[in-house]
């Protein structure tokens, strides 16, 4: 059973998300929050597998709440606002995915399962927004360098940052799926990244992907 926390300042939307999630046999809502501070408190108490997190909430926004939740739960940002800064800030804060509130219900439920399973929900459209954000912004401090990362691992990391799936990376580098997964596992360990989204951030911050690539 995947345990979900719903954080949104609109009661109607919280209720709708609860009904949708609870309608699935493998999903259950274990709490609701109407502010960012409440989301942090409930997440630390209930330790849900996934938090559906709004961005604009009173007391504390969803980005800061995501940062404070840390590794306790995986966070799936669900917002009305399709803005570059939100995409970057949410993933930089540790979110494992980013969806708009007009996402079809079936896709939202699938996203919850993907994030709960330890992967990141990072579509190529989000990747493009991140590239644009880095193109406009001055260089940011690198959280983790690429010391100890092999040339092949750099290639894999660059392709991940460009939005390629594992199968597409296999075709591009002419490697087996098992080999690609091994490279990704090693990258996660070496860069102390929790999931694919954080690998993308590491690639951008270390200059592997940008306007020139």
């Amino acid at each position: 059973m995947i345990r979900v926390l719903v954080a949104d300042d609109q009661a109607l939307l919280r209720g709708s998300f609860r009904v949708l999630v609870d309608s699935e046999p493998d999903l259950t809502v274990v709490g609701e929050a109407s502010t960012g501070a409440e989301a942090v408190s409930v997440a630390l108490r209930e330790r849900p597998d996934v938090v559906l997190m709004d961005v604009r909430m009173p007391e504390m926004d969803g980005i800061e709440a995501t940062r404070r939740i840390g590794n306790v739960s995986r966070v799936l940002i669900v917002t009305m606002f399709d803005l570059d800064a939100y995409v970057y800030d949410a993933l930089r804060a540790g979110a494992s995915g980013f969806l708009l509130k007009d996402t079809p219900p079936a896709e939202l439920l699938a996203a919850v399962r993907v994030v709960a399973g330890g992967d990141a929900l990072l579509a190529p459209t989000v990747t493009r927004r991140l590239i644009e954000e880095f193109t406009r912004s001055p260089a940011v401090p690198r959280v983790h360098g690429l010391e100890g990362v092999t040339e092949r691992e750099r290639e894999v990391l660059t392709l991940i940052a460009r939005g390629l799936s594992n199968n597409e990376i296999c075709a591009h580098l002419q490697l087996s799926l098992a080999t690609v997964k091994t490279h990704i596992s090693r990258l996660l360990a070496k860069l102390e990244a929790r999931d694919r989204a954080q690998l993308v951030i590491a690639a951008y911050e270390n200059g592997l992907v940008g306007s020139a690539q």
Side-chain angles (χ1 to χ4, degrees):
M1 184 68 72
I2 298 172
R3 304 169 73 251
V4 179
L5 165 62
V6 179
D8 196 293
D9 63 338
Q10 298 183 44
L12 181 60
L13 280 174
R14 287 200 313 275
S16 298
F17 283 142
R18 173 182 278 276
V19 170
L20 178 63
V21 171
D22 281 340
S23 69
E24 297 296 297
D26 61 329
L27 307 176
T28 185
V29 173
V30 296
E32 295 183 20
S34 59
T35 71
E38 188 179 2
V40 174
S41 177
V42 177
L44 295 179
R45 184 180 70 241
E46 298 292 338
R47 305 182 75 85
D49 300 299
V50 177
V51 180
L52 291 178
M53 182 77 78
D54 188 21
V55 171
R56 294 188 176 182
M57 291 187 289
E59 294 183 19
M60 179 190 300
D61 65 29
I63 305 301
E64 180 59 26
T66 297
R67 189 174 291 111
R68 296 193 185 191
I69 288 171
N71 292 326
V72 170
S73 304
R74 294 183 178 275
V75 175
L76 180 57
I77 297 290
V78 186
T79 181
M80 293 175 59
F81 304 99
D82 187 14
L83 300 179
D84 296 342
Y86 285 153
V87 176
Y88 172 72
D89 289 344
L91 296 176
R92 189 70 184 80
S96 293
F98 183 95
L99 289 176
L100 295 179
K101 287 182 178 177
D102 61 1
T103 298
E107 291 185 17
L108 187 144
L109 293 171
V112 170
R113 295 184 177 100
V114 167
V115 169
D119 207 343
L121 192 81
L122 198 61
T125 53
V126 173
T127 301
R128 285 195 292 273
R129 290 190 192 98
L130 281 168
I131 293 173
E132 291 168 1
E133 180 71 16
F134 270 82
T135 299
R136 288 195 302 268
S137 304
V140 295
R142 298 177 184 176
V143 176
H144 296 292
L146 298 181
E147 297 80 8
V149 175
T150 68
E151 284 303 313
R152 178 61 86 185
E153 288 165 353
R154 283 174 180 254
E155 290 178 319
V156 171
L157 182 59
T158 301
L159 295 177
I160 289 173
R162 290 177 180 169
L164 272 66
S165 67
N166 286 359
N167 287 332
E168 289 170 335
I169 294 172
C170 291
H172 189 88
L173 297 179
Q174 297 185 336
L175 299 173
S176 69
L177 183 58
T179 299
V180 169
K181 288 182 176 179
T182 296
H183 285 312
I184 293 173
S185 294
R186 289 174 178 167
L187 284 166
L188 290 169
K190 291 180 179 181
L191 300 178
E192 299 179 24
R194 185 174 62 186
D195 54 33
R196 203 180 191 92
Q198 293 187 353
L199 288 181
V200 171
I201 293 294
Y204 294 152
E205 292 185 342
N206 283 281
L208 294 186
V209 180
S211 58
Q213 275 74 26

